[in-house]
Amino acid sequence: MDAPWVGRFLVLLLAAAAAGGSGEDGWSMQVQAEVRGMDGYPVVLPCTFSHPQHSQHSLLQVMWRLGHGSAAAVLFRCTSRPGAAACKPDQQQDQRYRLEGNPREHDLSLRINGATLQDNGRYYCRVEVQGREHVSFEDKMGTRLRVEAPPKILAVSVEGGGPAGFTAVCRVQGSPLPDVQWLGPDDPLEGSSPAPLVLGSPGQYRTVSQLRDVQPGQRYTCSASNPLGREQAALFVLRPRPPPPAGPPPALLLLLAAALGSKLVLLVGVGAWMVQGGALRDVGCWRK
């Protein structure tokens, strides 16, 4: 077998694998290897199939799964009966998912409304034809969904204090993962881009950036950017409150002073009354 013929044969095999699944008994299924969507917008995952047997008068069941194997989650399932105008989904079906295509026309495309970053993953479509013979076919390659989002600053805060000083913290979300930079009076701050801390699920779309030794009374800005945009959030570090003075509070001192004053006035009054009463007794004795 000559080398050019082998090369053409390998090219044909790769082209067939990229086009979708081509299985036994004449089944074929075409999917798109990757689909990109935007956070908050609908996205459609294309999937079409063909079969040599005429299935127009057979009951069709359509299923879409996220993931493969035991960890797969069934996201959508519907049944298309002969003569029915639409594929009827299950009663507990999530309304975010619906069939964009018509199974009677061999189109199983799935629509996801309001896609989110959590929808990222690999999706698989499956069809079952229930006629004289129960046959089914599922795409083996799957469609990779990549949902992208501009940067979004989730929170900015100040942590720490005391001898260790203060640290500014900025939590950011986005896909691709945003680049975070700190800005201050001398934009940009020196050494203000520490390595991002990637969190757990949905961690690959979130990062935490820290800026150490921030000074009270200063304004700092967290700036996050990726190819889809930029977002900024300002942070003002308040000066710590001075410690309260030692001893009782001023309000308590005022109460004590008022109480002592009233007692002093009472003692003066009693003393005056006693002096006045003694003088009157002396006068009375003299008249006798």
Side-chain angles (χ1 to χ4, degrees):
M1 183 179 295
D2 58 347
W5 192 91
V6 173
R8 289 194 296 270
F9 180 72
L10 292 176
V11 170
L12 290 176
L13 285 179
L14 292 175
S22 180
E24 302 82 2
D25 301 329
W27 276 100
S28 67
M29 184 170 283
Q30 293 77 37
V31 298
Q32 195 167 322
E34 181 176 284
V35 173
R36 293 180 179 268
M38 284 292 295
D39 183 37
Y41 290 87
V43 62
V44 176
L45 307 180
C47 178
T48 59
F49 74 100
S50 61
H51 189 266
Q53 298 178 355
H54 183 66
S55 59
Q56 194 68 26
H57 303 290
S58 302
L59 185 142
L60 302 177
Q61 286 190 338
V62 180
M63 179 170 44
W64 277 87
R65 296 183 296 108
L66 174 60
H68 195 64
S70 58
V74 176
L75 301 178
F76 180 85
R77 180 162 32 205
C78 70
T79 302
S80 176
R81 301 185 180 278
C87 193
K88 184 178 180 181
D90 291 350
Q91 293 183 354
Q92 304 299 325
Q93 177 61 52
D94 187 343
Q95 297 303 312
R96 284 207 313 134
Y97 307 97
R98 71 178 178 85
L99 207 62
E100 183 77 1
N102 184 353
R104 296 296 164 183
E105 298 177 358
H106 297 167
D107 189 350
L108 312 177
S109 300
L110 180 70
R111 177 188 177 96
I112 304 177
N113 291 316
T116 67
L117 293 176
Q118 286 67 44
D119 291 324
N120 279 281
R122 190 169 295 276
Y123 291 75
Y124 299 86
C125 63
R126 175 186 178 91
V127 61
E128 297 181 1
V129 181
Q130 298 183 0
R132 295 181 179 178
E133 296 182 1
H134 185 96
V135 292
S136 62
F137 191 72
E138 180 177 351
D139 165 50
K140 299 297 191 298
M141 303 295 293
T143 297
R144 174 69 177 177
L145 173 60
R146 296 185 183 273
V147 180
E148 299 180 340
K152 180 179 181 181
I153 297 179
L154 304 177
V156 287
S157 60
V158 176
E159 299 179 356
F166 295 96
T167 300
V169 181
C170 184
R171 292 175 171 81
V172 181
Q173 174 179 281
S175 179
L177 194 65
D179 176 62
V180 182
Q181 186 179 40
W182 288 95
L183 308 174
D186 302 324
D187 310 354
L189 292 176
E190 189 71 23
S192 60
S193 298
L197 305 177
V198 179
L199 307 179
S201 179
Q204 60 266 40
Y205 316 114
R206 293 185 180 181
T207 182
V208 177
S209 179
Q210 298 179 347
L211 178 63
R212 303 186 185 278
D213 299 327
V214 296
Q215 300 301 316
Q218 296 293 326
R219 178 189 176 97
Y220 299 90
T221 300
C222 174
S223 178
S225 62
N226 69 6
L228 299 177
R230 177 188 298 270
E231 183 166 286
Q232 294 183 341
L235 175 68
F236 186 80
V237 183
L238 298 176
R239 299 183 182 276
R241 294 182 179 180
L252 181 58
L253 292 177
L254 290 175
L255 290 176
L256 291 176
L260 291 175
S262 61
K263 289 182 179 180
L264 182 61
V265 171
L266 181 61
L267 289 175
V268 171
V270 171
W273 177 80
M274 292 179 64
V275 171
Q276 185 178 5
L280 291 176
R281 285 196 300 271
D282 292 342
V283 172
C285 293
W286 181 77
R287 285 180 179 180
K288 290 180 180 181

Short mmCIF file of all heavy atoms in Angstrom, two decimals, residues 20-24 29 31 65 68 122-126 136-143:
data_model
loop_
_atom_site.label_atom_id
_atom_site.label_comp_id
_atom_site.label_asym_id
_atom_site.label_seq_id
_atom_site.Cartn_x
_atom_site.Cartn_y
_atom_site.Cartn_z
N GLY A 20 -19.40 13.67 13.00
CA GLY A 20 -20.37 13.18 13.96
C GLY A 20 -20.25 11.69 14.06
O GLY A 20 -19.21 11.10 13.79
N GLY A 21 -21.32 11.02 14.48
CA GLY A 21 -21.28 9.58 14.65
C GLY A 21 -21.82 8.89 13.42
O GLY A 21 -22.79 9.32 12.81
N SER A 22 -21.20 7.82 13.06
CA SER A 22 -21.70 6.98 11.98
C SER A 22 -21.62 5.56 12.47
O SER A 22 -20.55 4.97 12.54
CB SER A 22 -20.84 7.19 10.73
OG SER A 22 -21.33 6.39 9.68
N GLY A 23 -22.76 5.00 12.90
CA GLY A 23 -22.77 3.73 13.60
C GLY A 23 -23.25 2.59 12.74
O GLY A 23 -23.34 2.67 11.52
N GLU A 24 -23.55 1.50 13.45
CA GLU A 24 -23.99 0.29 12.78
C GLU A 24 -25.39 0.46 12.20
O GLU A 24 -26.14 1.33 12.59
CB GLU A 24 -23.98 -0.87 13.77
CG GLU A 24 -22.61 -1.14 14.42
CD GLU A 24 -22.32 -0.22 15.59
OE1 GLU A 24 -23.21 0.60 15.92
OE2 GLU A 24 -21.22 -0.29 16.15
N MET A 29 -25.26 10.39 12.89
CA MET A 29 -25.66 11.54 13.71
C MET A 29 -24.60 12.62 13.55
O MET A 29 -23.39 12.34 13.61
CB MET A 29 -25.79 11.13 15.18
CG MET A 29 -26.28 12.25 16.09
SD MET A 29 -26.70 11.63 17.75
CE MET A 29 -28.30 10.86 17.42
N VAL A 31 -23.23 16.31 14.89
CA VAL A 31 -23.23 17.31 15.96
C VAL A 31 -22.10 18.29 15.70
O VAL A 31 -21.22 18.05 14.88
CB VAL A 31 -23.07 16.66 17.35
CG1 VAL A 31 -24.22 15.71 17.66
CG2 VAL A 31 -21.73 15.95 17.45
N ARG A 65 -28.16 14.64 27.55
CA ARG A 65 -27.46 14.46 28.81
C ARG A 65 -26.26 15.41 28.88
O ARG A 65 -25.65 15.74 27.87
CB ARG A 65 -26.97 13.02 28.96
CG ARG A 65 -28.08 12.00 29.04
CD ARG A 65 -27.54 10.59 29.26
NE ARG A 65 -26.71 10.14 28.14
CZ ARG A 65 -25.39 10.01 28.19
NH1 ARG A 65 -24.73 10.32 29.28
NH2 ARG A 65 -24.72 9.59 27.12
N HIS A 68 -20.89 12.22 30.76
CA HIS A 68 -20.91 10.87 30.23
C HIS A 68 -20.69 9.88 31.36
O HIS A 68 -20.05 10.19 32.37
CB HIS A 68 -19.81 10.70 29.16
CG HIS A 68 -19.97 9.48 28.31
ND1 HIS A 68 -21.06 9.30 27.48
CD2 HIS A 68 -19.21 8.37 28.18
CE1 HIS A 68 -20.94 8.15 26.85
NE2 HIS A 68 -19.82 7.55 27.27
N ARG A 122 -19.88 19.10 28.44
CA ARG A 122 -20.05 18.34 27.20
C ARG A 122 -21.43 17.69 27.21
O ARG A 122 -21.80 17.00 28.16
CB ARG A 122 -18.96 17.29 27.05
CG ARG A 122 -18.93 16.63 25.68
CD ARG A 122 -17.67 15.79 25.50
NE ARG A 122 -16.47 16.62 25.51
CZ ARG A 122 -16.00 17.25 24.45
NH1 ARG A 122 -16.64 17.15 23.27
NH2 ARG A 122 -14.90 17.97 24.52
N TYR A 123 -22.18 17.90 26.12
CA TYR A 123 -23.56 17.44 26.01
C TYR A 123 -23.65 16.32 24.96
O TYR A 123 -22.95 16.34 23.95
CB TYR A 123 -24.49 18.60 25.61
CG TYR A 123 -24.65 19.65 26.69
CD1 TYR A 123 -23.63 20.55 26.96
CD2 TYR A 123 -25.82 19.73 27.43
CE1 TYR A 123 -23.78 21.52 27.95
CE2 TYR A 123 -25.97 20.69 28.42
CZ TYR A 123 -24.95 21.57 28.67
OH TYR A 123 -25.09 22.52 29.66
N TYR A 124 -24.57 15.37 25.22
CA TYR A 124 -24.77 14.23 24.32
C TYR A 124 -26.25 14.11 24.00
O TYR A 124 -27.10 14.20 24.91
CB TYR A 124 -24.28 12.93 24.97
CG TYR A 124 -22.81 12.94 25.31
CD1 TYR A 124 -22.36 13.46 26.52
CD2 TYR A 124 -21.87 12.41 24.43
CE1 TYR A 124 -21.01 13.47 26.84
CE2 TYR A 124 -20.51 12.41 24.73
CZ TYR A 124 -20.10 12.94 25.94
OH TYR A 124 -18.76 12.94 26.25
N CYS A 125 -26.58 13.91 22.72
CA CYS A 125 -27.98 13.71 22.32
C CYS A 125 -28.20 12.24 21.95
O CYS A 125 -27.29 11.56 21.48
CB CYS A 125 -28.35 14.63 21.15
SG CYS A 125 -27.44 14.34 19.63
N ARG A 126 -29.44 11.78 22.18
CA ARG A 126 -29.78 10.38 21.96
C ARG A 126 -31.21 10.30 21.42
O ARG A 126 -32.08 11.10 21.82
CB ARG A 126 -29.69 9.60 23.28
CG ARG A 126 -30.15 8.13 23.20
CD ARG A 126 -30.14 7.52 24.59
NE ARG A 126 -30.61 6.14 24.57
CZ ARG A 126 -29.84 5.09 24.43
NH1 ARG A 126 -28.52 5.25 24.28
NH2 ARG A 126 -30.34 3.87 24.43
N SER A 136 -31.89 2.41 18.93
CA SER A 136 -31.50 3.71 19.49
C SER A 136 -30.10 4.04 19.00
O SER A 136 -29.32 3.16 18.62
CB SER A 136 -31.54 3.69 21.01
OG SER A 136 -30.63 2.74 21.53
N PHE A 137 -29.79 5.32 19.05
CA PHE A 137 -28.46 5.76 18.65
C PHE A 137 -28.12 7.00 19.45
O PHE A 137 -28.97 7.86 19.71
CB PHE A 137 -28.39 6.07 17.16
CG PHE A 137 -26.99 6.27 16.66
CD1 PHE A 137 -26.13 5.21 16.53
CD2 PHE A 137 -26.54 7.55 16.34
CE1 PHE A 137 -24.83 5.39 16.08
CE2 PHE A 137 -25.25 7.73 15.88
CZ PHE A 137 -24.39 6.65 15.76
N GLU A 138 -26.84 7.08 19.86
CA GLU A 138 -26.37 8.20 20.66
C GLU A 138 -25.03 8.67 20.12
O GLU A 138 -24.18 7.87 19.74
CB GLU A 138 -26.21 7.77 22.13
CG GLU A 138 -25.71 8.89 23.03
CD GLU A 138 -25.64 8.46 24.48
OE1 GLU A 138 -26.14 7.37 24.80
OE2 GLU A 138 -25.08 9.23 25.29
N ASP A 139 -24.88 9.99 20.11
CA ASP A 139 -23.62 10.56 19.68
C ASP A 139 -22.53 10.23 20.70
O ASP A 139 -22.71 10.39 21.90
CB ASP A 139 -23.78 12.08 19.54
CG ASP A 139 -22.45 12.78 19.44
OD1 ASP A 139 -21.62 12.36 18.63
OD2 ASP A 139 -22.25 13.74 20.21
N LYS A 140 -21.39 9.78 20.23
CA LYS A 140 -20.30 9.38 21.11
C LYS A 140 -19.32 10.52 21.36
O LYS A 140 -18.61 10.51 22.36
CB LYS A 140 -19.53 8.18 20.49
CG LYS A 140 -20.38 6.94 20.28
CD LYS A 140 -20.91 6.40 21.60
CE LYS A 140 -21.53 5.03 21.42
NZ LYS A 140 -22.69 5.02 20.53
N MET A 141 -19.26 11.49 20.45
CA MET A 141 -18.29 12.57 20.59
C MET A 141 -18.77 13.67 21.53
O MET A 141 -18.01 14.21 22.32
CB MET A 141 -17.98 13.18 19.22
CG MET A 141 -17.46 12.18 18.19
SD MET A 141 -15.86 11.51 18.67
CE MET A 141 -14.85 12.98 18.52
N GLY A 142 -20.06 14.00 21.44
CA GLY A 142 -20.59 15.06 22.29
C GLY A 142 -20.29 16.45 21.74
O GLY A 142 -19.47 16.63 20.83
N THR A 143 -20.98 17.44 22.30
CA THR A 143 -20.78 18.84 21.93
C THR A 143 -20.31 19.60 23.15
O THR A 143 -20.97 19.59 24.20
CB THR A 143 -22.09 19.46 21.41
OG1 THR A 143 -22.51 18.78 20.22
CG2 THR A 143 -21.91 20.94 21.09
#
